[in-house]
Amino acid sequence: MAGFNADKLGERLDALNREQLAAIEKLSEDLLVEMRRKGPLRAGDDANKIADEAGVKRRKVVRRAER
């Protein structure tokens, strides 16, 4: 049975951490670029955009006069 090598484990963990950090940095940069391109959003814009993309139209509320 092979012996435990703490140095090799440490090196592998460092490599994995560097890979994950690089992936997070790339995703963060992509997000910042998209945010700069689209500009600022107002409160509620996300919900409206999702509804528009889904093809949901807003219904006007029509209240009937009380009798």
Side-chain angles (χ1 to χ4, degrees), residues 34-60:
E34 184 176 342
M35 288 171 64
R36 285 186 198 118
R37 185 178 58 86
K38 288 184 176 180
L41 295 177
R42 295 176 304 192
D45 280 352
D46 288 337
N48 293 339
K49 183 179 178 189
I50 291 168
D52 291 343
E53 289 175 354
V56 177
K57 293 185 180 179
R58 248 187 212 169
R59 294 182 183 170
K60 291 184 180 179

